[in-house]
Amino acid sequence: MTDVVGTGHVTDDPDVLAARSVDHTGRYRGRAVALARPGCPEDVAAVLRLCRDAGVHVTVQGGRTSLVAGTVPEHDDVLLSTERLNTVGEVDTVERRVRVGAGATLAAVQDAATRAGLVFGVDLTARDTATVGGMASTNAGGLYTVHYGNMGEQVLGLQVALPDGSLLDRHSMVRADNTGYDLPALFVGAEGTLGVITALDLRLHPRPAHRITAICGFTDLDALVEAARVFRDLDGIGTLELLDTRVAVLTAERLGVAAPVTGDWMLLVELTGDTDQTERLAELLSAVRSDGEPAVGVDPATQQRLWRVREAVADVLGAFGPPLKFDVALPLAAVARFATAATTVVHRHAPDALPVLFGHIGEGNLHFNVLRCAASEEPALYAAMMELIAEHGGNVSSEHGVGSRKRAYLSMSRGPDDIAAMRTLKAAFDPTGYLNAAVLFA
């Protein structure tokens, strides 16, 4: 393998492999025999051919920000890192697109778009480490999903190293291309089970001339959901985020940043447009059943202060140790009932734990995190939460993927014929099943 990627980019150092075989939360660990860091798509394909012929499993790693153990090896795997595939091409400002390597970080893509006067449509708080290849593999959503859609809606083309060691390059300069199968869509959300994404053509968007931000407080979660239902269908809605004020309390304690409003729940709203949205937002806010006056940010400094409560969530929760994370999609009508029932379930299985809820309420895409949950309490609690999600008509994964952590629960969201069809695709692309074997299927 060193002949392919170079001696400096292959290692079997036990300490390196141990550090690379643990997930982002620190809860799940695996084992690997080597780490390879190819520097070009052709080398990725060559590594796959070598591993396939040798009967060695491969686990693909990007920024290793998976929250469902999606990059944790299970079979003495070779770890294939895309970190060196980090090129960011010149932005095409006419077609509003850019060609990037799969290992480019989200922050690097955002920076290139900003310098060209454009924006990239997906944003995550893990922007400095999350790679766009990994984001496409899980069809990530994020803070602006309500406006721009998920990662799949930003992908115009893909280059993929297939399990047989060939390179597929679906690259078209036209956006309306109806010449056969939509192959890029097949690999978006496949979690690396069908091939290794090596490069992407990404859609960029015009930068809004105006934006205004507000946070409203609510005692009644149903009232917040009602407001979210109104806001999500508006032209120019940029962001719609739910925040449990227990998060705000922790943020105040850890960072000295006080909650901008009162209430048990907060709704962060941002409107964007070509004209000033201040009066429009004021009229909309006057019609919602919030508690007290909302906090409104018209200028960038005030907007940044309001956003800090949301941006700080991951760091604040992480200060209590690795949270147990549940990424769930719910019908909006079920959100309030789920929040109450989930808290009850947590206290039943982990009495000393602290549950918090936040996420992208416009799509019912929520993150239910449990702090101070002991490892011994996790198995029973996880199974109970999966059942609760299904009981409320939800999906066990909304944007983090299935990984290996949720593979036993795939049948809660997909029927047997659906799963059989996915297995058929997997077998067609990867007959020996050596690529990302721990992911998706039980």
Side-chain angles (χ1 to χ4, degrees):
M1 194 176 300
T2 56
D3 293 339
V4 174
V5 299
T7 56
H9 302 296
V10 177
T11 183
D12 59 0
D13 184 290
D15 292 335
V16 173
L17 297 180
R20 292 276 189 151
S21 298
V22 61
D23 84 310
H24 182 68
T25 69
R27 285 183 168 271
Y28 314 115
R29 294 182 179 273
R31 58 187 188 272
V33 295
L35 165 69
R37 302 186 303 118
C40 66
E42 291 75 16
D43 287 354
V44 174
V47 169
L48 291 183
R49 280 194 299 272
L50 288 172
C51 292
R52 180 203 58 181
D53 294 345
V56 177
H57 287 89
V58 172
T59 290
V60 186
Q61 296 187 336
R64 296 186 295 124
T65 57
S66 171
L67 300 175
V68 289
T71 60
V72 177
E74 287 190 3
H75 304 91
D76 291 322
D77 301 26
V78 167
L79 303 177
L80 194 160
S81 172
T82 62
E83 63 192 89
R84 294 178 63 211
L85 308 177
N86 57 7
T87 57
V88 178
E90 184 177 352
V91 173
D92 184 337
T93 56
V94 176
E95 295 294 334
R96 296 201 296 268
R97 60 191 293 161
V98 62
R99 176 85 161 180
V100 302
T105 64
L106 171 58
V109 174
Q110 290 174 327
D111 181 61
T114 298
R115 285 186 279 106
L118 300 168
V119 296
F120 182 57
V122 177
D123 190 24
L124 313 171
T125 56
R127 59 184 70 88
D128 291 328
T129 50
T131 62
V132 289
M135 290 166 59
S137 291
T138 60
N139 197 17
L143 301 170
Y144 296 115
T145 306
V146 71
H147 186 78
Y148 296 112
N150 279 35
M151 188 69 183
E153 295 176 66
Q154 321 309 319
V155 175
L156 298 172
L158 284 179
Q159 184 186 60
V160 183
L162 298 178
D164 66 0
S166 62
L167 271 177
L168 166 69
D169 199 338
R170 187 71 183 95
H171 176 74
S172 176
M173 288 306 298
V174 297
R175 297 195 179 194
D177 188 345
N178 193 23
T179 53
Y181 300 139
D182 185 1
L183 292 177
L186 188 61
F187 297 95
V188 172
E191 300 187 45
T193 58
L194 303 181
V196 181
I197 297 174
T198 55
L200 308 93
D201 297 310
L202 297 176
R203 184 192 310 272
L204 302 177
H205 303 271
R207 176 171 296 280
H210 299 271
R211 69 186 182 103
I212 184 168
T213 312
I215 294 183
C216 312
F218 295 82
T219 300
D220 181 10
L221 184 51
D222 274 322
L224 183 150
V225 172
E226 180 184 324
R229 189 177 285 111
V230 172
F231 277 111
R232 71 173 180 175
D233 295 325
L234 294 175
D235 289 337
I237 184 67
T239 301
L240 206 52
E241 293 287 300
L242 163 71
L243 281 166
D244 187 333
T245 53
R246 284 175 289 196
V247 176
V249 170
L250 297 176
T251 303
E253 292 175 355
R254 307 293 299 188
L255 303 179
V257 179
V261 293
T262 59
D264 296 328
W265 306 93
M266 295 187 294
L267 180 66
L268 188 154
V269 181
E270 189 164 270
L271 290 183
T272 64
D274 294 331
T275 58
D276 188 350
Q277 301 291 304
T278 305
E279 291 186 9
R280 181 181 179 221
L281 180 60
E283 182 179 345
L284 291 165
L285 291 175
S286 67
V288 304
R289 295 188 292 124
S290 60
D291 296 356
E293 290 295 318
V296 179
V298 178
D299 60 279
T302 308
Q303 291 168 348
Q304 186 175 13
R305 285 197 294 272
L306 295 182
W307 266 103
R308 192 176 180 194
V309 178
R310 177 63 181 90
E311 290 276 355
V313 169
D315 289 339
V316 170
L317 299 188
F320 293 83
L324 182 57
K325 293 178 174 288
F326 297 96
D327 165 48
V328 51
L330 290 165
L332 289 188
V335 169
R337 287 186 289 109
F338 171 82
T340 300
T343 299
T344 300
V345 167
V346 169
H347 290 158
R348 181 186 307 135
H349 292 277
D352 297 326
L354 174 64
V356 294
L357 182 65
F358 61 97
H360 322 307
I361 188 64
E363 297 76 41
N365 173 356
L366 302 177
H367 307 306
F368 187 76
N369 283 210
V370 183
L371 311 183
R372 301 195 297 260
C373 179
S376 60
E377 298 168 327
E378 178 179 337
L381 174 57
Y382 210 96
M385 285 296 300
M386 293 295 104
E387 292 179 5
L388 185 68
I389 291 167
E391 288 171 7
H392 285 78
N395 190 321
V396 298
S397 176
S398 57
E399 63 171 333
H400 292 167
V402 173
S404 62
R405 186 64 186 88
K406 293 185 177 181
R407 64 191 179 195
Y409 307 103
L410 180 62
S411 60
M412 289 184 174
S413 299
R414 295 294 188 104
D417 292 339
D418 203 354
I419 295 174
M422 289 194 290
R423 286 186 178 278
T424 298
L425 284 172
K426 170 66 172 173
F429 279 90
D430 182 15
T432 63
Y434 80 97
L435 183 59
N436 272 21
V439 172
L440 197 59
F441 301 110

